[in-house]
Amino acid sequence: MNIDPERVEKGLVALVLTLVDLIRQLMEKQAIRRIENEQLTEAEIERVGNAFFLLNEKIAELKETFDLSDEDLNLNLGPLGDLL
């Protein structure tokens, strides 16, 4: 068995970033629902927006560091289609 540590690391990073991005998307949808239902104050909306902005920047930075594209983070779930 010939295992390339660099490919293993890149694969692991891709999997982790995929999960982080999926959770981010779910959290964004929840935040939008709460904003639309007027459940957040202006300050909370600002903090949520800043948090998502910083998270997106960090994801982009890690994708660049590990030479990953958006397509690399999209898992094919067979008959269910693509994850992201």
Side-chain angles (χ1 to χ4, degrees):
M1 184 184 268
N2 186 10
I3 298 175
D4 181 5
E6 187 173 312
R7 288 190 69 211
V8 171
E9 181 180 65
K10 186 175 179 178
L12 180 60
V13 169
L15 178 60
V16 170
L17 287 178
T18 298
L19 294 174
V20 167
D21 197 40
L22 176 62
I23 293 168
R24 178 196 56 80
Q25 288 178 29
L26 295 172
M27 289 173 56
E28 280 183 356
K29 288 179 183 181
Q30 179 66 23
I32 290 169
R33 273 188 235 118
R34 292 187 67 193
I35 291 168
E36 289 173 347
N37 291 327
E38 299 178 356
Q39 296 175 336
L40 298 177
T41 66
E42 290 295 320
E44 290 171 327
I45 292 170
E46 184 73 24
R47 283 196 310 266
V48 166
N50 286 336
F52 285 128
F53 177 78
L54 293 172
L55 181 57
N56 285 336
E57 280 189 337
K58 183 54 80 173
I59 290 172
E61 179 184 318
L62 289 168
K63 286 191 314 189
E64 184 177 326
T65 299
F66 289 93
D67 192 30
L68 295 167
S69 66
D70 288 336
E71 293 80 31
D72 294 325
L73 304 186
N74 197 2
L75 299 177
N76 184 312
L77 301 175
L80 298 175
D82 292 337
L83 180 63
L84 303 174

mmCIF file of all heavy atoms in Angstrom, residues 54-76:
data_model
loop_
_atom_site.group_PDB
_atom_site.id
_atom_site.type_symbol
_atom_site.label_atom_id
_atom_site.label_comp_id
_atom_site.label_asym_id
_atom_site.label_seq_id
_atom_site.Cartn_x
_atom_site.Cartn_y
_atom_site.Cartn_z
ATOM 1 N N LEU A 54 -16.096 36.563 8.311
ATOM 2 C CA LEU A 54 -14.797 36.036 8.746
ATOM 3 C C LEU A 54 -14.673 34.545 8.457
ATOM 4 O O LEU A 54 -13.603 34.076 8.052
ATOM 5 C CB LEU A 54 -14.584 36.318 10.230
ATOM 6 C CG LEU A 54 -14.431 37.794 10.600
ATOM 7 C CD1 LEU A 54 -14.422 37.961 12.118
ATOM 8 C CD2 LEU A 54 -13.180 38.380 9.976
ATOM 9 N N LEU A 55 -15.749 33.808 8.650
ATOM 10 C CA LEU A 55 -15.721 32.376 8.360
ATOM 11 C C LEU A 55 -15.492 32.128 6.877
ATOM 12 O O LEU A 55 -14.682 31.275 6.494
ATOM 13 C CB LEU A 55 -17.024 31.714 8.815
ATOM 14 C CG LEU A 55 -17.147 30.209 8.602
ATOM 15 C CD1 LEU A 55 -16.014 29.453 9.297
ATOM 16 C CD2 LEU A 55 -18.490 29.721 9.091
ATOM 17 N N ASN A 56 -16.158 32.886 6.026
ATOM 18 C CA ASN A 56 -15.955 32.748 4.580
ATOM 19 C C ASN A 56 -14.520 33.070 4.186
ATOM 20 O O ASN A 56 -13.933 32.390 3.333
ATOM 21 C CB ASN A 56 -16.926 33.636 3.810
ATOM 22 C CG ASN A 56 -18.336 33.099 3.800
ATOM 23 O OD1 ASN A 56 -18.552 31.909 3.953
ATOM 24 N ND2 ASN A 56 -19.295 33.982 3.641
ATOM 25 N N GLU A 57 -13.947 34.096 4.808
ATOM 26 C CA GLU A 57 -12.549 34.441 4.524
ATOM 27 C C GLU A 57 -11.609 33.300 4.931
ATOM 28 O O GLU A 57 -10.679 32.974 4.204
ATOM 29 C CB GLU A 57 -12.150 35.717 5.264
ATOM 30 C CG GLU A 57 -12.592 36.975 4.598
ATOM 31 C CD GLU A 57 -11.982 38.208 5.255
ATOM 32 O OE1 GLU A 57 -11.592 38.150 6.437
ATOM 33 O OE2 GLU A 57 -11.901 39.225 4.563
ATOM 34 N N LYS A 58 -11.840 32.717 6.090
ATOM 35 C CA LYS A 58 -10.978 31.636 6.570
ATOM 36 C C LYS A 58 -11.110 30.405 5.672
ATOM 37 O O LYS A 58 -10.107 29.761 5.342
ATOM 38 C CB LYS A 58 -11.330 31.296 8.022
ATOM 39 C CG LYS A 58 -10.435 30.240 8.622
ATOM 40 C CD LYS A 58 -8.957 30.554 8.514
ATOM 41 C CE LYS A 58 -8.482 31.496 9.546
ATOM 42 N NZ LYS A 58 -7.006 31.659 9.529
ATOM 43 N N ILE A 59 -12.321 30.083 5.260
ATOM 44 C CA ILE A 59 -12.520 28.950 4.349
ATOM 45 C C ILE A 59 -11.773 29.200 3.038
ATOM 46 O O ILE A 59 -11.085 28.314 2.527
ATOM 47 C CB ILE A 59 -14.021 28.691 4.101
ATOM 48 C CG1 ILE A 59 -14.679 28.125 5.369
ATOM 49 C CG2 ILE A 59 -14.231 27.734 2.928
ATOM 50 C CD1 ILE A 59 -16.192 28.022 5.285
ATOM 51 N N ALA A 60 -11.888 30.396 2.496
ATOM 52 C CA ALA A 60 -11.191 30.742 1.248
ATOM 53 C C ALA A 60 -9.680 30.639 1.431
ATOM 54 O O ALA A 60 -8.972 30.128 0.551
ATOM 55 C CB ALA A 60 -11.586 32.142 0.789
ATOM 56 N N GLU A 61 -9.185 31.100 2.574
ATOM 57 C CA GLU A 61 -7.752 31.030 2.856
ATOM 58 C C GLU A 61 -7.268 29.574 2.919
ATOM 59 O O GLU A 61 -6.234 29.224 2.348
ATOM 60 C CB GLU A 61 -7.475 31.725 4.186
ATOM 61 C CG GLU A 61 -6.038 31.717 4.628
ATOM 62 C CD GLU A 61 -5.878 32.342 6.007
ATOM 63 O OE1 GLU A 61 -6.518 33.377 6.280
ATOM 64 O OE2 GLU A 61 -5.112 31.778 6.814
ATOM 65 N N LEU A 62 -8.027 28.725 3.585
ATOM 66 C CA LEU A 62 -7.643 27.313 3.690
ATOM 67 C C LEU A 62 -7.732 26.611 2.338
ATOM 68 O O LEU A 62 -6.886 25.769 2.014
ATOM 69 C CB LEU A 62 -8.510 26.599 4.727
ATOM 70 C CG LEU A 62 -8.223 26.982 6.170
ATOM 71 C CD1 LEU A 62 -9.312 26.456 7.102
ATOM 72 C CD2 LEU A 62 -6.858 26.463 6.595
ATOM 73 N N LYS A 63 -8.756 26.963 1.534
ATOM 74 C CA LYS A 63 -8.845 26.379 0.192
ATOM 75 C C LYS A 63 -7.628 26.754 -0.635
ATOM 76 O O LYS A 63 -7.076 25.921 -1.346
ATOM 77 C CB LYS A 63 -10.135 26.815 -0.508
ATOM 78 C CG LYS A 63 -11.368 26.140 0.031
ATOM 79 C CD LYS A 63 -12.616 26.356 -0.806
ATOM 80 C CE LYS A 63 -12.871 27.726 -1.258
ATOM 81 N NZ LYS A 63 -14.185 27.926 -1.869
ATOM 82 N N GLU A 64 -7.197 27.997 -0.530
ATOM 83 C CA GLU A 64 -6.021 28.442 -1.273
ATOM 84 C C GLU A 64 -4.758 27.741 -0.760
ATOM 85 O O GLU A 64 -3.934 27.287 -1.539
ATOM 86 C CB GLU A 64 -5.868 29.956 -1.158
ATOM 87 C CG GLU A 64 -4.728 30.503 -1.988
ATOM 88 C CD GLU A 64 -4.648 32.009 -1.916
ATOM 89 O OE1 GLU A 64 -5.683 32.674 -1.819
ATOM 90 O OE2 GLU A 64 -3.511 32.520 -1.969
ATOM 91 N N THR A 65 -4.626 27.643 0.549
ATOM 92 C CA THR A 65 -3.455 27.007 1.150
ATOM 93 C C THR A 65 -3.307 25.561 0.693
ATOM 94 O O THR A 65 -2.198 25.100 0.405
ATOM 95 C CB THR A 65 -3.537 27.049 2.692
ATOM 96 O OG1 THR A 65 -3.571 28.415 3.102
ATOM 97 C CG2 THR A 65 -2.365 26.354 3.333
ATOM 98 N N PHE A 66 -4.426 24.846 0.618
ATOM 99 C CA PHE A 66 -4.384 23.427 0.261
ATOM 100 C C PHE A 66 -4.752 23.181 -1.197
ATOM 101 O O PHE A 66 -4.985 22.041 -1.596
ATOM 102 C CB PHE A 66 -5.294 22.625 1.191
ATOM 103 C CG PHE A 66 -4.747 22.527 2.587
ATOM 104 C CD1 PHE A 66 -5.115 23.439 3.566
ATOM 105 C CD2 PHE A 66 -3.829 21.542 2.913
ATOM 106 C CE1 PHE A 66 -4.596 23.359 4.845
ATOM 107 C CE2 PHE A 66 -3.304 21.454 4.190
ATOM 108 C CZ PHE A 66 -3.689 22.371 5.156
ATOM 109 N N ASP A 67 -4.795 24.251 -2.007
ATOM 110 C CA ASP A 67 -5.072 24.161 -3.442
ATOM 111 C C ASP A 67 -6.367 23.391 -3.703
ATOM 112 O O ASP A 67 -6.395 22.429 -4.469
ATOM 113 C CB ASP A 67 -3.890 23.517 -4.181
ATOM 114 C CG ASP A 67 -3.999 23.674 -5.682
ATOM 115 O OD1 ASP A 67 -4.575 24.683 -6.133
ATOM 116 O OD2 ASP A 67 -3.529 22.764 -6.402
ATOM 117 N N LEU A 68 -7.442 23.827 -3.046
ATOM 118 C CA LEU A 68 -8.756 23.207 -3.203
ATOM 119 C C LEU A 68 -9.700 24.179 -3.899
ATOM 120 O O LEU A 68 -9.603 25.387 -3.724
ATOM 121 C CB LEU A 68 -9.337 22.829 -1.833
ATOM 122 C CG LEU A 68 -8.584 21.764 -1.054
ATOM 123 C CD1 LEU A 68 -9.073 21.712 0.382
ATOM 124 C CD2 LEU A 68 -8.739 20.412 -1.717
ATOM 125 N N SER A 69 -10.620 23.635 -4.666
ATOM 126 C CA SER A 69 -11.629 24.453 -5.329
ATOM 127 C C SER A 69 -12.988 24.145 -4.698
ATOM 128 O O SER A 69 -13.125 23.216 -3.893
ATOM 129 C CB SER A 69 -11.679 24.132 -6.823
ATOM 130 O OG SER A 69 -12.146 22.811 -7.014
ATOM 131 N N ASP A 70 -13.998 24.915 -5.087
ATOM 132 C CA ASP A 70 -15.348 24.650 -4.593
ATOM 133 C C ASP A 70 -15.802 23.238 -4.990
ATOM 134 O O ASP A 70 -16.486 22.569 -4.223
ATOM 135 C CB ASP A 70 -16.331 25.678 -5.136
ATOM 136 C CG ASP A 70 -16.146 27.042 -4.504
ATOM 137 O OD1 ASP A 70 -15.616 27.112 -3.374
ATOM 138 O OD2 ASP A 70 -16.543 28.045 -5.134
ATOM 139 N N GLU A 71 -15.407 22.810 -6.171
ATOM 140 C CA GLU A 71 -15.784 21.479 -6.635
ATOM 141 C C GLU A 71 -15.169 20.382 -5.761
ATOM 142 O O GLU A 71 -15.756 19.318 -5.581
ATOM 143 C CB GLU A 71 -15.356 21.270 -8.099
ATOM 144 C CG GLU A 71 -16.112 22.137 -9.085
ATOM 145 C CD GLU A 71 -15.574 23.569 -9.141
ATOM 146 O OE1 GLU A 71 -14.359 23.779 -8.929
ATOM 147 O OE2 GLU A 71 -16.379 24.475 -9.374
ATOM 148 N N ASP A 72 -13.989 20.644 -5.218
ATOM 149 C CA ASP A 72 -13.342 19.669 -4.334
ATOM 150 C C ASP A 72 -14.112 19.478 -3.031
ATOM 151 O O ASP A 72 -13.982 18.444 -2.377
ATOM 152 C CB ASP A 72 -11.906 20.103 -3.991
ATOM 153 C CG ASP A 72 -10.990 20.104 -5.192
ATOM 154 O OD1 ASP A 72 -11.163 19.232 -6.076
ATOM 155 O OD2 ASP A 72 -10.102 20.978 -5.264
ATOM 156 N N LEU A 73 -14.904 20.473 -2.667
ATOM 157 C CA LEU A 73 -15.649 20.409 -1.411
ATOM 158 C C LEU A 73 -17.054 19.862 -1.591
ATOM 159 O O LEU A 73 -17.798 19.734 -0.632
ATOM 160 C CB LEU A 73 -15.726 21.792 -0.763
ATOM 161 C CG LEU A 73 -14.416 22.499 -0.485
ATOM 162 C CD1 LEU A 73 -14.671 23.777 0.290
ATOM 163 C CD2 LEU A 73 -13.436 21.612 0.246
ATOM 164 N N ASN A 74 -17.422 19.534 -2.806
ATOM 165 C CA ASN A 74 -18.766 19.059 -3.085
ATOM 166 C C ASN A 74 -18.765 17.537 -3.193
ATOM 167 O O ASN A 74 -18.182 16.982 -4.117
ATOM 168 C CB ASN A 74 -19.290 19.690 -4.369
ATOM 169 C CG ASN A 74 -20.789 19.553 -4.484
ATOM 170 O OD1 ASN A 74 -21.455 19.025 -3.601
ATOM 171 N ND2 ASN A 74 -21.315 20.041 -5.580
ATOM 172 N N LEU A 75 -19.399 16.882 -2.234
ATOM 173 C CA LEU A 75 -19.450 15.420 -2.237
ATOM 174 C C LEU A 75 -20.629 14.934 -3.064
ATOM 175 O O LEU A 75 -21.735 15.451 -2.948
ATOM 176 C CB LEU A 75 -19.595 14.890 -0.809
ATOM 177 C CG LEU A 75 -18.486 15.227 0.168
ATOM 178 C CD1 LEU A 75 -18.837 14.694 1.544
ATOM 179 C CD2 LEU A 75 -17.176 14.660 -0.299
ATOM 180 N N ASN A 76 -20.405 13.913 -3.876
ATOM 181 C CA ASN A 76 -21.479 13.294 -4.628
ATOM 182 C C ASN A 76 -22.104 12.218 -3.750
ATOM 183 O O ASN A 76 -21.449 11.277 -3.339
ATOM 184 C CB ASN A 76 -20.954 12.695 -5.934
ATOM 185 C CG ASN A 76 -22.079 12.140 -6.780
ATOM 186 O OD1 ASN A 76 -22.938 11.420 -6.313
ATOM 187 N ND2 ASN A 76 -22.043 12.482 -8.043
#
